[in-house]
Amino acid sequence: MIYDAIDALIAYGTGCGLLDAGETVYARNLLLDTLHETDYVPGTARSGSAALADILRELTDIAVSRGLLPDSAENRDIFDTKLMNCLTPRPAEVRRVFWQRYAASPEAATAYYYKLAMDSNYIRRDRLAKDKRWVYESPFGALDITINKAKPEKDPRDIAAAGKAKAAGYPMCALCAENEGYAGRIGHAARANHRIIPLTLGGEPWALQYSPYVYYNEHCIVLSTEHRPMRITERSFVRLLDFVTQFPHYFVGSNADLPIVGGSILSHDHFQGGRYTFAMERAAEGAPIALPGFSDVRCCRVHWPLSVLRLRAGDPARLTAAATKILAHWRAYSDAAAEILAETDAMHNTITPIARRRGADYELDLTLRNNRTTAEHPLGLFHPHAARHHIKKENIGLIEVMGLAVLPARLDAELDAVAAGIRSGADLRAEEATAKHADWAEALRAQCAGMDAAAARRFLENEVGRVFTDVLTDCGVFPFTPAGDAAWQRYVDSLTAFLK
């Protein structure tokens, strides 16, 4: 019965603290209106507490049966997000509580806000539970390997509807601040229950939100309130360090600002951060590198498959100054013997920066990136090479730079199919799900002999971790080889001369 489900949703809201007990009548009336109900009869109390996803599914099924929405995945998401907005506090109230908690501690503020994002179903916990995660012990440390299943696959009905829909330009992209409270449409995610926290970074208006897909603990997005392209400059370092001043328990970093080595959204200036320690942060540090003019800034190379300079200082202004000089030098740096060219038909060198606190100190990791393509590597010379595309073909952005693989959902079923094919002796090239993995899997067949299905799956997961390590190594401009070490020293010598 519809009233039972409405009462169950109200009970969920008051139970988790999303909805004040004094607002239950108001929230119920919003739900009734959303469901086109003009009457209400108290429902039968249900024993136990139903899962939120089940309650929303029940109400959405009723709405579909009444013709209130077309039955497709995106339309269902849009509708159940409207339902949750009936329970979610308005933006001004969320901000008031956030800054009230912040006065006690930044950790208290983000804990409140993160819980709200989950309780309001902006972060869909039932979908996150489907993600697959494991750890691979690489020569560079323990890497996090994930298969992302939280993003729903496209419904063919939504694809067809998108083709017929009138083009819309509001909000301009998925990261715009104007997404707060936006109902959504086919091709643009529902954000009726979305709330953002305005910030000031480097004297500019920015905003804090959480990623709805949560690749790691408290995965947040920090975005400019102006829709403008990403660009790594001195101001980027200022804003990153300002953020970790305000939220010292979080790290924050930026994708690079060029195609191939950047993230999936280059059109909107933004950072990503959170409360998580990645393998890159734990990685061993090499010998100190003296930076002329910056005796108060400690510098070293990180033992990491990508090429990373780590800077540490007590004064964020001095860290910014050093990083800006390093960026300017790297933008123009070329070494043909190492296949590093700063410019051909376009500029190629950029940096993926990450900021964090180390006690009272500030720390910046500067990952040197180059997006040049060649005839042998048309998708990118310092990009996952073709032999690894069956596992990972997409750009290596900030999160993966730090050591967390975000692998496509298709891989989950494909690994099971490969494991079964290896164990049965089947022709792996005969099936679409396994053909792309055949070269890799056939080389592993002998090692899987005698394994049961679970053991074979675990073995393949470990091998996926090995491939991801190779993917990161592909992206390193100065590999840990004799030639790479010599090229690194030439770079350090050039940087030192530049700073004198």
Side-chain angles (χ1 to χ4, degrees):
M1 184 178 177
I2 189 169
Y3 304 132
D4 293 349
I6 289 173
D7 288 350
L9 188 55
I10 294 290
Y12 164 83
T14 56
C16 69
L18 185 66
L19 179 67
D20 186 278
E23 296 182 343
T24 56
V25 171
Y26 175 77
R28 180 194 304 131
N29 287 335
L30 291 179
L31 289 168
L32 290 169
D33 181 61
T34 303
L35 290 156
H36 292 202
E37 276 286 320
T38 56
D39 196 10
Y40 170 73
V41 177
T44 303
R46 297 179 175 182
S47 59
S49 57
L52 175 61
D54 293 336
I55 300 170
L56 292 175
R57 188 179 304 110
E58 181 179 353
L59 288 169
T60 304
D61 284 345
I62 291 170
V64 168
S65 71
R66 294 180 173 186
L68 300 184
L69 66 147
D71 189 10
S72 73
E74 287 191 61
N75 279 301
R76 282 176 167 270
D77 280 359
I78 290 169
F79 188 80
D80 72 17
T81 301
K82 287 180 181 178
L83 295 176
M84 289 308 301
N85 188 48
C86 297
L87 309 184
T88 305
R90 290 175 69 90
E93 174 64 9
V94 172
R95 293 163 191 169
R96 184 191 68 78
V97 175
F98 180 90
W99 291 114
Q100 182 184 62
R101 303 284 178 93
Y102 186 90
S105 74
E107 294 95 329
T110 55
Y112 155 75
Y113 184 42
Y114 189 57
K115 182 177 184 297
L116 177 97
M118 292 187 291
D119 290 344
S120 67
N121 211 40
Y122 167 74
I123 295 173
R124 294 176 179 259
R125 284 178 282 203
D126 60 311
R127 292 182 182 172
L128 293 180
K130 299 175 184 178
D131 287 351
K132 299 296 178 71
R133 299 175 180 272
W134 65 95
V135 172
Y136 172 69
E137 295 293 341
S138 82
F140 302 96
L143 304 181
D144 296 301
I145 312 297
T146 70
I147 295 178
N148 173 34
K149 304 188 76 174
K151 284 187 179 181
E153 294 187 12
K154 286 290 185 182
D155 186 321
R157 294 168 293 188
D158 291 324
I159 295 171
K164 299 174 184 176
K166 181 181 177 181
Y170 177 88
M172 293 181 70
C173 79
L175 292 180
C176 284
E178 289 77 13
N179 281 282
E180 184 178 43
Y182 186 68
R185 61 180 185 267
I186 301 302
H188 193 106
R191 292 291 180 256
N193 57 349
H194 178 38
R195 306 292 184 260
I196 65 173
I197 304 296
L199 302 175
T200 299
L201 297 181
E204 286 187 1
W206 281 57
L208 172 67
Q209 67 177 57
Y210 286 105
S211 167
Y213 305 113
V214 191
Y215 295 140
Y216 50 86
N217 186 48
E218 297 185 41
H219 177 185
C220 68
I221 299 172
V222 187
L223 54 98
S224 171
T225 57
E226 177 188 355
H227 180 80
R228 67 187 185 207
M230 294 193 66
R231 181 70 177 155
I232 302 298
T233 68
E234 177 183 13
R235 299 302 301 166
S236 305
F237 303 134
V238 169
R239 292 187 286 263
L240 290 167
L241 293 169
D242 194 357
F243 181 85
V244 296
T245 298
Q246 297 180 48
F247 300 94
H249 60 300
Y250 275 11
F251 82 90
V252 69
S254 175
N255 271 304
D257 54 358
L258 295 178
I260 298 175
V261 295
S264 58
I265 301 179
L266 294 177
S267 61
H268 195 118
D269 201 2
H270 71 285
F271 307 142
Q272 294 183 79
R275 195 169 194 173
Y276 193 71
T277 302
F278 289 85
M280 182 180 178
E281 181 179 345
R282 299 189 298 264
E285 298 180 353
I289 298 171
L291 300 178
F294 295 96
S295 59
D296 54 338
V297 176
R298 285 154 285 172
C299 177
C300 67
R301 183 181 185 180
V302 180
H303 184 69
W304 192 244
L306 286 94
S307 305
V308 183
L309 279 170
R310 176 165 291 166
L311 309 181
R312 191 178 298 139
D315 183 353
R318 292 293 292 159
L319 209 54
T320 295
T324 302
K325 291 278 191 180
I326 292 169
L327 173 63
H329 174 261
W330 177 246
R331 290 277 193 197
Y333 183 77
S334 292
D335 182 346
E339 299 192 89
I340 299 169
L341 299 179
E343 184 176 5
T344 55
D345 56 336
M347 300 298 293
H348 296 303
N349 287 353
T350 185
I351 279 175
T352 300
I354 301 106
R356 65 181 73 90
R357 300 294 295 273
R358 293 272 192 180
D361 282 346
Y362 291 82
E363 187 170 275
L364 269 178
D365 283 351
L366 305 179
T367 310
L368 307 179
R369 313 296 301 272
N370 178 285
N371 78 339
R372 193 165 72 88
T373 60
T374 65
E376 183 182 359
H377 299 291
L379 297 183
L381 175 60
F382 301 106
H383 176 83
H385 290 176
R388 257 86 67 186
H389 287 179
H390 65 109
I391 299 294
K392 181 69 178 180
K393 185 178 183 179
E394 299 79 11
N395 293 354
I396 298 303
L398 170 69
I399 293 170
E400 289 172 314
V401 163
M402 296 185 291
L404 189 153
V406 181
L407 302 178
R410 62 164 174 84
L411 194 59
D412 187 31
E414 289 174 0
L415 288 179
D416 283 339
V418 168
I422 287 177
R423 294 176 61 245
S424 68
D427 179 3
L428 297 173
R429 301 180 192 280
E431 299 293 333
E432 182 180 356
T434 57
K436 66 172 69 71
H437 301 289
D439 289 344
W440 170 69
E442 286 174 354
L444 303 172
R445 193 186 291 271
Q447 298 176 64
C448 289
M451 291 185 182
D452 62 21
R457 169 71 188 223
R458 288 193 299 271
F459 174 80
L460 288 178
E461 287 179 349
N462 195 66
E463 293 303 312
V464 166
R466 196 185 310 277
V467 172
F468 180 63
T469 306
D470 292 339
V471 162
L472 296 183
T473 300
D474 290 340
C475 299
V477 291
F478 298 108
F480 288 102
T481 63
D485 291 344
W488 173 260
Q489 190 57 54
R490 293 195 297 273
Y491 163 72
V492 172
D493 291 345
S494 175
L495 174 62
T496 302
F498 177 81
L499 294 174
K500 286 182 178 177

